């Protein structure tokens, strides 16, 4: 570890935010250049390298852009900043931890993980309504509670008191969050919807959701002892008032001033809405125009539902990328941080990166970080999600008898041609590439449980028996966050005006619902995440007793023994398991990096997480495909040998492999008993020198299987001896 301190830096070949810098822009012109400067590498790291999901969100600021179309009275969303539209007509919606859609998905993942429930039994609908106006309002009420509490503290403290200043800082932060939406009509709609519902349905019983006329009164005892409720005296002030308690009146004034100073085009309705939301009214207005309010409510609700529908459709591909990055980092679930995984995001589309004029830029970058004896910035793994997979042939329908799926143009994925070009480039720099297929129902655990893995093997056939095959790692199945058939979200119900007031409709067609159409995560993110995690000795120490802290996990074979039941993913089980036929086919072919959702036990404890079933590349061997650890051990030994032999000097190679107790080979042989030993029981390492060609052939033996590694010897002044 003192020579190679990390073996898990991973490169994500994906575009996150087109408005941010990317690897091609940062590398720039490379004509006549073999290597980039240290300053340039530092600059690339500053912009593209992340070590946590929070840092990723901070650096790439994933954003959805929206604008309004007056022609069709709709809100439009796009992931690219629209050109030709004036700046003040474009709204930027940050897709971060505060976004209700993302928040809902994180909560869903955490809940499912803690329950360990399969998809068929999990109550998705209980969490999906987190993006309904009611739940958005619940979050705001919590913020309101915290603001009122802090303001009460702030007001009681003396001027200049350090605690008052600290509380002021916290209040400023909370007001900043609240005020972000003043100019965003879409963000105000849930408030308006719930505000109207609260005012109109005050006094309704929960069963009927029908309101009665309200006249606020006081309970009194009359002159002869009778009990009666009399009308409470009304405040003559017609302005918006609040209960003057705990300085709430002052707080409403603060919100009023804040709204007026920040908002570009103030609206009296929205101002009152903001104040009502954060400083509720003490009295009920009796002069509500119920018909108008009901009409407003239904208009807002329809508009919100349609806009949310469009937003979800637009943001879903981006959200699936963000979830993938989060799942990559989540796999490193260890209390003691050691070799923390890091992610270098190219932030450009793969087909752009592998164009003939751009490949030299990628090669120059990789040559700089992977072809030196400084291994700080060395890239070991890569992630390529969303590889296109042809749909299973369906009968063409000439006439639509029933309402079927709308024919929508599929999201563009990465092509096999682009992947081949990338593999051909990264093989020279010994980068193992985890790739997964388009996220859809057919590529999930359910899809594979019913249809098997043959179509994936067929798709990968063009990558077999190539120089780069051992660096290609197909990952299956993809993970389901929300299944397509359980992705309905009830937004709310339309309202009707009645003689006495208003009530929520009970008709089925008046329930407004949107369908998310399923949310999935590419298997390549989780596969690269778990492999990057187990490179760290501290991670292995949490599940295994015999771990050598000086060695990375390059030789850790997750398929061996019960290793896969100890080093589990953080993903909850999805199905009850594959059938024996499917498992037999997987075992017979030994294809790919395959995840398992099987019932399993370790020391009488049920395993409720998804585990790794196979960890193979596309390198062929007699009984199928080769284990991914063999390629990484080979790369690791070659890099250690290059470093210790001074770029493969003959005398130093001899010393490296000698039986001298201080040689590197002897040290590795003497430390075989650890889960992450570089040479384990049944392994061996040897070398043969070819004097004529100046080649040194290194034989790495893994449980009887030999893997060859060739290096070019640097000739010294003395003759080469066999």
């Amino acid at each position: 570890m003192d020579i190679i301190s990390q073996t898990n830096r991973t490169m994500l070949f994906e575009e996150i935010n087109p408005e941010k810098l990317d690897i091609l822009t940062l590398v720039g012109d490379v004509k006549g250049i073999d290597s980039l400067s240290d300053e340039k590498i530092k600059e690339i790291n500053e912009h593209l390298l992340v070590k946590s999901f929070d840092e990723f969100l901070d650096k790439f600021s994933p954003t959805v852009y929206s604008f309004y179309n007056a022609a069709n009275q709709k809100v439009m969303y796009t992931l690219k900043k629209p050109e030709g539209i004036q700046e003040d007509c474009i709204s930027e919606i940050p897709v971060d931890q505060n976004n209700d859609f993302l928040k809902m998905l994180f909560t869903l993942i955490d809940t499912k993980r803690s329950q360990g429930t399969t998809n068929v039994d999990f109550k998705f609908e209980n969490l999906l309504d987190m993006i309904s106006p009611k739940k958005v309002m619940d979050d705001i009420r919590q913020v309101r509670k915290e603001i009122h509490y802090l303001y009460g503290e702030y007001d009681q403290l003396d001027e200049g008191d350090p605690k008052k200043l600290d509380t002021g800082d916290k209040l400023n932060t909370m007001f900043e969050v609240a005020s972000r939406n003043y100019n965003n009509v879409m963000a105000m709609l849930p408030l308006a919807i719930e505000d109207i519902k609260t005012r109109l349905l005050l006094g309704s019983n929960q069963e009927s959701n029908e309101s009665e006329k309200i006249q606020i009164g006081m309970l009194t005892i009359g002159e002869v002892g009778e009990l009666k409720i009399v009308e409470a005296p009304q405040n003559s002030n017609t302005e918006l008032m609040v209960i003057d308690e705990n300085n709430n009146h002052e707080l409403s004034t603060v919100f009023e001033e804040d709204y007026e100073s920040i908002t570009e085009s103030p609206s009296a309705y929205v101002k009152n809405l903001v104040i009502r939301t954060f400083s509720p009214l003490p009295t009920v207005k009796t002069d509500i125009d119920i018909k108008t309010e009901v009409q407003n409510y239904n208009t807002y609700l329809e508009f919100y539902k349609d806009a949310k529908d469009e937003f979800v459709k637009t943001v879903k591909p981006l959200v699936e990328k963000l979830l993938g990055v989060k799942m990559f980092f989540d796999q490193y679930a260890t209390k003691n941080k050691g070799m923390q995984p890091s992610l270098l995001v190219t932030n450009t589309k793969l087909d752009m990166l592998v164009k003939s004029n751009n490949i030299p830029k990628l090669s120059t970058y990789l040559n700089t970080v992977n072809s030196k004896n400084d291994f700080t910035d060395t890239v070991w793994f890569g992630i390529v999600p969303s590889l296109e997979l042809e749909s299973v042939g369906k009968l063409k329908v000439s006439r639509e008898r029933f309402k079927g799926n709308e024919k929508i143009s599929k999201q563009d994925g990465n092509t096999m041609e682009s992947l081949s070009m990338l593999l051909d480039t990264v093989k020279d720099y010994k980068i193992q590439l985890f790739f997964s297929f388009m996220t859809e129902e057919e590529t999930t655990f359910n899809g594979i449980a019913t249809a098997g893995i043959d179509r994936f093997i067929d798709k990968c056939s063009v990558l077999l028996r190539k120089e780069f095959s051992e660096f290609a790692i197909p990952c299956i199945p993809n993970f389901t966050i929300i299944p397509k058939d359980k992705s309905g979200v009830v937004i709310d119900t339309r309202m009707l005006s009645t003689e006495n007031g208003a009530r929520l409709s009970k008709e089925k067609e008046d329930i407004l619902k949107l369908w998310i159409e399923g949310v999935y995560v590419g298997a390549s993110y989780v596969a690269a995440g778990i492999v990057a995690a187990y490179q760290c000795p501290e991670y292995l120490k949490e599940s295994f007793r015999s771990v050598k802290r000086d060695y990375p996990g390059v030789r850790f074979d997750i398929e061996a023994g019960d290793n896969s039941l100890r080093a589990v993913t953080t993903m909850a089980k999805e199905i009850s398991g594959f059938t024996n036929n499917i498992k037999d086919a997987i075992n017979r072919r030994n294809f790919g990096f395959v995840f398992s959702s099987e019932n399993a036990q370790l020391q009488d404890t049920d395993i409720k997480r998804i585990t790794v079933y196979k960890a193979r590349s596309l390198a062929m061997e007699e009984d199928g495909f080769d284990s991914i650890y063999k390629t990484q051990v080979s790369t690791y030994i070659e890099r250690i040998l290059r470093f210790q032999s001074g770029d493969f000097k003959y005398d130093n190679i001899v010393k490296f492999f000698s039986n001298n107790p201080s040689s590197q080979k002897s040290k590795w042989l003497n430390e075989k008993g650890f889960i992450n030993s570089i040479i384990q029981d049944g392994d061996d390492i040897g070398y043969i020198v070819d004097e004529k060609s100046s080649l040194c052939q290194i034989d790495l033996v893994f449980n009887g299987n030999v893997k060859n590694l060739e290096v070019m010897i640097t000739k010294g002044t003395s003759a080469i001896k066999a």
Side-chain angles (χ1 to χ4, degrees):
M1 294 282 278
D2 54 340
I3 297 172
I4 297 180
S5 59
Q6 63 86 13
T7 58
N8 58 2
R9 177 156 301 174
T10 307
M11 207 161 171
L12 172 60
F13 296 92
E14 185 61 278
E15 182 182 62
I16 303 297
N17 186 346
E19 298 300 310
K20 295 286 182 180
L21 288 167
D22 59 76
I23 189 95
L24 296 175
T25 307
L26 286 164
V27 169
D29 186 21
V30 293
K31 279 177 191 161
I33 297 175
D34 181 60
S35 173
L36 303 174
S37 66
D38 290 351
E39 288 77 16
K40 180 55 74 176
I41 295 299
K42 188 179 177 186
E43 185 190 5
I44 289 169
N45 288 348
E46 280 171 5
H47 288 284
L48 305 181
L49 184 69
V50 294
K51 293 187 176 175
S52 69
F53 182 63
D54 288 340
E55 188 184 2
F56 167 77
L57 288 179
D58 187 47
K59 278 192 180 179
F60 289 95
S61 312
T63 305
V64 175
Y65 302 92
S66 75
F67 58 94
Y68 299 98
N69 184 351
N72 61 8
Q73 294 293 301
K74 285 190 173 180
V75 58
M76 316 293 284
Y77 295 99
T78 171
L79 295 178
K80 282 190 177 173
K81 194 167 187 178
E83 295 177 1
I85 299 177
Q86 59 204 65
E87 285 284 330
D88 59 352
C89 289
I90 301 170
S91 296
E92 295 187 6
I93 304 165
V95 186
D96 56 18
Q97 308 270 29
N98 295 314
N99 180 274
D100 58 356
F101 186 44
L102 209 55
K103 214 168 8 179
M104 178 260 288
L105 292 171
F106 291 162
T107 306
L108 201 150
I109 290 167
D110 292 342
T111 308
K112 199 163 177 295
R113 181 186 298 155
S114 64
Q115 287 186 359
T117 315
T118 56
N119 291 344
V120 73
D121 295 322
F122 188 73
K123 303 291 182 192
F124 288 92
E125 63 276 12
N126 292 349
L127 292 167
L128 285 175
D129 72 343
M130 280 179 69
I131 60 174
S132 68
K134 181 179 179 294
K135 291 296 170 128
V136 172
M137 195 64 199
D138 285 346
D139 286 348
I140 288 168
R141 285 195 185 100
Q142 182 59 37
V143 171
R144 180 175 79 194
K145 203 172 175 182
E146 291 171 26
I147 286 176
H148 280 235
Y149 171 73
L150 283 173
Y151 188 78
E153 272 195 348
Y154 178 82
D155 200 54
Q156 287 172 12
L157 293 164
D158 296 332
E159 290 297 323
D161 185 331
K163 190 177 179 186
K164 181 163 188 160
L165 300 177
D166 289 344
T167 309
D169 285 340
K170 289 177 185 173
L171 272 170
N172 282 331
T173 304
M174 299 198 83
F175 263 82
E176 188 63 36
V177 172
S179 67
R180 275 181 194 163
N181 296 325
Y182 292 169
N183 290 315
N184 186 348
V185 178
M186 271 307 301
M188 298 304 288
L189 274 183
L191 310 193
I193 291 164
E194 283 301 304
D195 175 66
I196 293 172
K197 194 200 267 189
T198 302
R199 287 184 291 115
L200 291 189
L201 298 184
L202 192 70
S204 68
N205 67 57
Q206 288 185 333
E207 285 76 30
S208 69
N209 264 324
E210 186 166 352
S211 67
E212 296 175 14
K213 188 178 177 186
I214 295 287
Q215 198 172 61
I216 297 301
M218 296 166 61
L219 183 65
T220 60
I221 296 178
E223 289 181 11
V224 293
E226 77 275 20
L227 202 63
K228 61 179 177 180
I229 296 173
V230 297
E231 187 181 347
Q234 292 292 312
N235 194 316
S236 58
N237 193 341
T238 56
E239 291 180 15
L240 208 65
M241 292 291 289
V242 293
I243 301 167
D244 194 4
E245 185 181 328
N246 297 329
N247 301 301
N248 282 0
H249 178 59
E250 290 173 31
L251 196 53
S252 74
T253 310
V254 175
F255 269 105
E256 186 173 358
E257 289 170 358
D258 192 46
Y259 173 80
E260 286 174 345
S261 62
I262 286 176
T263 308
E264 294 143 10
S265 50
S267 149
Y269 183 88
V270 176
K271 180 178 77 175
N272 291 347
L273 177 61
V274 168
I275 296 166
R276 277 203 299 271
T277 300
F278 289 99
S279 297
L281 282 164
T283 57
V284 176
K285 281 189 169 184
T286 53
D287 57 345
I288 294 174
D289 183 345
I290 290 174
K291 207 166 188 179
T292 303
E293 292 280 19
V294 167
Q295 191 177 343
N296 284 346
Y297 174 87
N298 289 333
T299 305
Y300 295 166
L301 199 61
E302 292 266 4
F303 193 87
Y304 180 78
K305 184 258 176 189
D306 291 344
K308 204 73 181 172
D309 211 0
E310 284 300 315
F311 176 77
V312 166
K313 282 188 176 75
T314 304
V315 81
K316 199 173 75 165
L318 174 62
V319 161
E320 288 184 337
K321 294 176 192 178
L322 304 190
L323 288 175
V325 172
K326 188 175 192 308
M327 295 307 103
F328 170 83
F329 285 113
D330 277 5
Q331 302 318 306
Y332 187 62
T334 176
K335 297 181 191 113
N336 302 311
K337 303 293 183 197
M339 189 199 294
Q340 201 170 341
S342 56
L343 197 65
L344 190 109
V345 184
T346 61
N347 199 33
T348 185
K349 290 185 186 298
L350 182 61
D351 59 356
M352 174 63 77
L353 188 67
V354 298
K355 282 184 177 177
S356 56
N357 58 322
N358 289 331
I359 281 285
K361 294 183 179 183
L362 176 62
S363 295
T364 305
Y365 171 75
L366 293 176
N367 195 46
T368 308
V369 296
N370 276 34
S371 300
K372 290 181 178 177
N373 284 344
D374 178 355
F375 304 102
T376 312
D377 293 307
T378 300
V379 178
W380 293 79
F381 307 124
I383 298 173
V384 177
S386 304
L387 191 70
E388 287 178 352
L389 188 67
E390 287 76 24
S391 297
V392 179
K394 287 183 182 175
L395 183 68
K396 193 175 179 183
V397 176
S398 59
R399 178 172 175 269
E400 196 176 75
R401 281 88 171 167
F402 307 98
K403 188 172 174 58
N405 287 307
E406 287 181 30
K407 303 294 182 285
I408 49 169
S409 53
K410 271 199 169 180
Q411 178 199 345
D412 289 338
N414 293 312
T415 64
M416 191 56 82
E417 289 73 22
S418 295
L419 179 63
S420 301
M421 279 288 290
L422 182 65
L423 279 164
D424 201 43
T425 303
V426 302
K427 75 175 189 312
D428 298 332
Y429 306 100
K430 308 291 175 76
I431 295 171
Q432 292 173 276
L433 218 56
F434 296 85
F435 65 90
S436 51
F437 300 90
M438 290 291 283
T439 48
E440 54 194 2
E441 200 66 32
E442 289 78 16
T443 59
T444 62
F445 282 87
N446 261 335
I448 287 177
T450 52
I453 62 166
D454 287 348
R455 59 194 296 233
F456 301 102
I457 298 175
D458 293 343
K459 182 72 179 174
C460 292
S461 60
V462 295
L463 303 178
L464 303 181
R465 298 177 187 85
K466 301 279 195 302
E467 278 186 62
F468 55 63
S469 296
E470 66 174 302
F471 299 101
I473 306 168
C475 307
I476 51 174
N478 291 328
F479 295 85
T480 303
I481 306 303
I482 304 174
K484 188 177 176 181
D485 60 348
K486 293 190 175 185
S487 64
V489 181
V490 174
I491 297 297
D492 216 318
T493 306
R494 288 188 185 91
M495 198 182 283
L496 306 172
S497 55
T498 63
E499 290 177 11
N500 295 324
R503 69 173 175 85
L504 293 178
S505 172
K506 295 173 183 175
E507 302 301 321
K508 191 178 178 183
E509 58 268 23
D510 284 333
I511 297 170
L512 295 184
K513 193 172 187 178
L514 66 85
W515 290 88
I516 296 172
E517 296 292 331
V519 177
Y520 309 95
V521 168
S524 53
Y525 288 103
V526 183
I530 191 82
V531 177
Y534 70 58
Q535 298 303 310
C536 174
E538 298 297 335
Y539 172 89
L540 292 171
K541 195 81 181 161
E542 301 215 350
S543 304
F544 300 92
R545 287 182 183 173
S546 54
V547 178
K548 181 76 173 168
R549 280 206 159 96
D550 298 340
Y551 296 151
V554 291
R555 175 60 182 85
F556 177 72
D557 180 7
I558 198 161
E559 286 186 45
D562 60 10
N563 291 355
S564 65
L565 301 183
R566 294 177 183 274
V568 298
T569 72
T570 61
M571 311 301 286
K573 277 176 63 178
E574 295 202 12
I575 60 171
S576 56
F578 296 135
T579 64
N580 290 333
N581 285 342
I582 298 287
K583 281 191 283 190
D584 288 346
I586 293 171
N587 287 323
R588 193 168 62 251
R589 306 296 292 272
N590 281 331
F591 167 84
F593 198 107
V594 184
F595 289 102
S596 166
S597 178
E598 297 285 316
N599 291 327
Q601 279 191 341
L602 179 68
Q603 294 166 351
D604 298 327
T605 303
D606 286 336
I607 305 295
K608 294 191 174 181
R609 301 279 173 83
I610 283 171
T611 57
V612 177
Y613 194 63
K614 296 287 173 190
R616 307 295 175 106
S617 69
L618 291 179
M620 301 286 288
E621 58 174 17
E622 286 177 17
D623 60 342
F625 296 91
D626 218 351
S627 298
I628 64 168
Y629 77 82
K630 294 181 183 177
T631 298
Q632 200 182 4
V633 173
S634 168
T635 303
Y636 178 78
I637 289 174
E638 181 183 344
R639 286 174 178 161
I640 291 284
L641 178 60
R642 178 185 281 278
F643 181 89
Q644 292 194 348
S645 65
D647 293 330
F648 308 127
K649 286 177 183 162
Y650 175 74
D651 291 345
N652 292 341
I653 289 175
V654 172
K655 185 179 172 186
F656 186 95
F657 288 105
S658 75
N659 293 325
N660 187 310
S662 64
S663 77
Q664 186 61 66
K665 178 185 173 181
S666 296
K667 285 179 185 173
W668 284 341
L669 285 169
N670 290 334
E671 292 173 334
K672 274 186 175 182
F674 301 96
I675 194 72
N676 60 333
S677 298
I678 304 300
I679 297 175
Q680 303 203 354
D681 288 332
D683 295 355
D684 199 6
I685 184 170
Y687 76 108
I688 301 166
V689 171
D690 184 336
E691 292 186 46
K692 290 178 183 175
S693 60
S694 295
L695 282 175
C696 174
Q697 182 174 299
I698 300 159
D699 293 331
L700 306 173
V701 181
F702 301 107
N703 286 324
N705 295 322
V706 180
K707 182 170 176 56
N708 297 318
L709 170 67
E710 276 189 352
V711 298
M712 180 70 73
I713 294 169
T714 305
K715 291 184 180 178
T717 49
S718 57
I720 291 174
K721 302 164 191 171

